[in-house]
Amino acid sequence: MTNQSEETDDLTLISDKLIVQALMAPDKCPWTKGRKSSASASNSRTPRNKSLPPKKPKKKDATPRKVLPPKVTPSTSAVHEKIEHGEYSCLEDDGNPIALAVPERKELCVTLPPCAPFGDQSVDARSKVRKLLKLFQLICRKLMQAEEQQLRNFGRIDLEAIEVLKKYDGYSKPDAIVGDVPGVVVGDEFHFRVELSIVGLHRIYQGGIDSAIVDGTRIAISIVASGGYPDELSSSDELIYTGSGGKATGKKDAEDQKLKGGNLALKNCIKTKTPVRVIHGFKGQSRSEVGQSKSKQISTYTYDGLYVVVDCWQEGASGSMVFKYKLKRILGQPELALHIVKETRMSKVRKGLRCPDISLEKERIPICVINTIDDAQPTPFEYITKVIYPPSYAKEPPQGCDCTDGCSDSSRCACAVKNGGEIPFNFNGAIVHAKPLIYECGPSCRCPPTCHNRASQHGIKIPLEIFKTGETGWGVRSLSSISSGSFICEYAGLESSTSETMEESVGFTIDAAKCGNVGRFINHSCSPNLYAQNVLWDHDDKRMPHIMFFAAENIPPLQELTYHYNYTIGQVRDKNGVEKVKECLCGSADCCHRLY
DNA sequence: GAATATTCAGGATG
DNA sequence: CCATCCTGAATATT
């Protein structure tokens, strides 16, 4: 609908505010209020002190740069009002610090955002769920970071993280829910069983069948099928599930499964016609990145939707009988993206393929263009992978570190020190949390390219594709699942100064109308799944940091990638200073229907 | 030897 | 005390 290159007119940003998304939420970041020095912005290991008065952000110092979204702006609105109402806040700011109960001398402190959103009626269930999950994932990344710095060894990060989360105001034990859980949508992905429990999808940690008593009878409310038993996940909408207990789990003694507990509950569902939530677990989807350390086995749990139990019988030889259940998926629910991806991968020809690699091999992996809506092709542009700086501009050489130990000692690595004494990435490449500015190691550092403090400078690693959306023109998505914190891509384009001379210039913008990379196709959303992070690595000019997109949550395959353009209403004017209005079409629940 | 499969042990919840 | 469609680390196997 909107065409990028048509919108190349005079967008003028009258506000000098710079707003960038926090990893936690569409939030009010330090940028909004002026910048803190990156060193003081880090809260990763502040001493524990709950009564610490909230830090007042500095009014404003040097305003670096405005993020100019692609001039092709599809749809949008602004989160501005919410920011004004203080509904959101960012990790870097005045959160309530919660100390981890680390039974060793070294205490870890995770700063959590204020808990206003919880229990607030105005926040819909979906936002709550997403916030809780983001919070949990943030804690996990923090713990992982601590583990990697060898401050401490947690066996089970998931269990450790839930302990922290429990201390957070707004966390409560989930009630038993029959049917869909408000805020959870078919296709949602999780990485730990604990996460299923947090959102109330499946409350027990290990058991496969969660049940509740309704009207005096025990009925099943959710099941997890993750390969522990030989279930049959036949084709599409049917599932044969194996009961719990007996020998199947690898017991020493053969034993018949008993019709009690979960087994009975599941059988009762036939009579009561109770819908059962099905969560599908997949194992070993880990994809070892090139040059990365050993890839951990990663399990993914996908919410498959509601099923009804239609049949129940016993199977097997006497002495090792098991219960089997036949479940049918209730019609009218969205198809799992996973299945579509499977079909797509199976089929030889890709439907709607308009271009096998729009980057013309400039990226490490091809980025194809898919259009199953009409015949349109993207408007031609020059594909570049790196930002192009103004001709007159000579980049300041960065001051690197001289680490030879892989920058492992974050108190000695000069780059880590600039990041407030931490390497802001986990060893798997995920960003730990949003910061005003991140310093990656660069060309003048002595560390090798495999250093963990170089997460976003090696280009795109996740297979992305450009596709035609219904309403918003072109968009970007992936056939793979993306886990929270993953680096997606840079926003590349022509860097230009907003004032006459380079020297006096206060603001810079990136214009991707004529040349750019995939980043120029990423649409706006009021509840985005990516966020933009400022990063410096190949130069030290804070006025024009790289703008790097990271996943703010787990993103299922085929879901469109979006970030918040961060316009404010009234911000954009035409040549004559007249306010311009653009409708937001992002369609999210908290959309305010105006991009600017 | 490294990548993968199997087993073991520790653990939270009900 | 019991058991569980978990996890991560330790062994075993290709």
Side-chain angles (χ1 to χ4, degrees), chain A residues 157 310 321 383 393 495:
Chain A
I157 286 194
V310 294
M321 301 269 277
Y383 197 99
Y393 172 64
E495 185 90 48

Side-chain angles (χ1 to χ4, degrees), chain A residues 255-274:
Chain A
E255 194 187 16
D256 283 347
Q257 287 189 349
K258 304 268 168 25
L259 191 57
K260 58 173 188 181
N263 291 352
L264 180 58
L266 208 44
K267 186 184 166 126
N268 288 339
C269 286
I270 303 175
K271 266 189 209 151
T272 60
K273 296 191 169 69
T274 312

Side-chain angles (χ1 to χ4, degrees), chain A residues 139-363:
Chain A
I139 297 169
C140 284
R141 289 191 300 264
K142 277 264 173 199
L143 295 175
M144 225 181 291
Q145 186 185 40
E147 200 170 67
E148 287 161 356
Q149 289 177 353
Q150 295 175 352
L151 297 178
R152 171 91 217 276
N153 195 19
F154 313 100
R156 294 275 302 265
I157 286 194
D158 54 335
L159 297 180
E160 208 70 46
I162 186 72
E163 286 306 310
V164 178
L165 190 63
K166 277 179 187 166
K167 298 194 181 109
Y168 188 46
D169 293 338
Y171 173 83
S172 57
K173 268 197 206 162
D175 295 326
I177 297 173
V178 179
D180 271 320
V181 173
V184 180
V185 161
V186 170
D188 279 355
E189 290 191 352
F190 309 85
H191 287 158
F192 291 103
R193 283 286 296 263
V194 170
E195 291 180 287
L196 302 177
S197 172
I198 292 172
V199 300
L201 202 57
H202 188 84
R203 300 167 304 159
I204 44 182
Y205 284 10
Q206 290 189 219
I209 306 169
D210 193 4
S211 61
I213 292 173
V214 173
D215 296 333
T217 44
R218 181 163 288 276
I219 50 153
I221 56 176
S222 59
I223 60 174
V224 174
S226 52
Y229 292 81
D231 306 316
E232 287 169 43
L233 305 141
S234 59
S235 58
S236 48
D237 293 345
E238 214 175 274
L239 163 68
I240 309 291
Y241 192 75
T242 310
S244 170
K247 199 194 179 232
T249 33
K251 282 261 166 67
K252 30 197 164 168
D253 307 319
E255 194 187 16
D256 283 347
Q257 287 189 349
K258 304 268 168 25
L259 191 57
K260 58 173 188 181
N263 291 352
L264 180 58
L266 208 44
K267 186 184 166 126
N268 288 339
C269 286
I270 303 175
K271 266 189 209 151
T272 60
K273 296 191 169 69
T274 312
V276 177
R277 291 185 295 271
V278 172
I279 297 105
H280 200 146
F282 302 87
K283 280 181 185 159
Q285 274 194 345
S286 66
R287 239 162 242 180
S288 50
E289 295 287 348
V290 197
Q292 282 291 346
S293 54
K294 53 184 171 232
S295 55
K296 253 201 295 192
Q297 167 120 342
I298 249 184
S299 50
T300 304
Y301 297 96
T302 307
Y303 178 44
D304 197 336
L306 297 178
Y307 282 65
V308 284
V309 189
V310 294
D311 200 6
C312 165
W313 67 94
Q314 277 186 291
E315 235 178 62
S318 176
S320 59
M321 301 269 277
V322 295
F323 283 95
K324 291 275 182 179
Y325 303 87
K326 185 184 198 175
L327 290 94
K328 282 205 161 161
R329 195 164 191 253
I330 295 175
L331 296 175
Q333 300 181 93
E335 190 179 352
L336 269 194
L338 231 70
H339 296 149
I340 305 174
V341 168
K342 204 173 185 180
E343 282 169 33
T344 309
R345 292 216 164 115
M346 296 298 246
S347 70
K348 277 232 151 170
V349 280
R350 185 75 197 271
K351 226 177 112 195
L353 185 69
R354 291 285 174 276
C355 170
D357 182 9
I358 200 170
S359 87
L360 301 171
E361 298 186 352
K362 284 174 187 154
E363 300 285 3

Side-chain angles (χ1 to χ4, degrees), chain A residues 19-27 29 31 90-92 134 138 141 424-425 430-438 484-489 522 528-535 547-553 555 561-566:
Chain A
I19 311 170
V20 180
Q21 290 296 103
L23 189 54
M24 272 297 305
D27 294 331
C29 271
W31 293 283
C90 171
L91 271 181
E92 277 69 21
K134 283 181 187 178
L138 168 82
R141 289 191 300 264
F425 307 106
I431 189 167
V432 175
H433 65 107
K435 294 168 86 84
L437 180 62
I438 280 178
S484 190
S486 302
F487 170 66
I488 307 295
C489 70
I522 304 178
N529 49 20
L530 307 182
Y531 86 101
Q533 169 68 55
N534 289 338
V535 174
I547 294 178
M548 304 295 198
F549 295 117
F550 288 87
E553 59 192 17
I555 305 171
L561 307 181
T562 54
Y563 69 101
H564 200 293
Y565 285 4
N566 278 316

Side-chain angles (χ1 to χ4, degrees), chain A residues 128-144:
Chain A
K128 270 193 206 170
V129 164
R130 290 173 75 185
K131 256 183 202 299
L132 260 179
L133 288 173
K134 283 181 187 178
L135 193 46
F136 175 83
Q137 288 151 11
L138 168 82
I139 297 169
C140 284
R141 289 191 300 264
K142 277 264 173 199
L143 295 175
M144 225 181 291

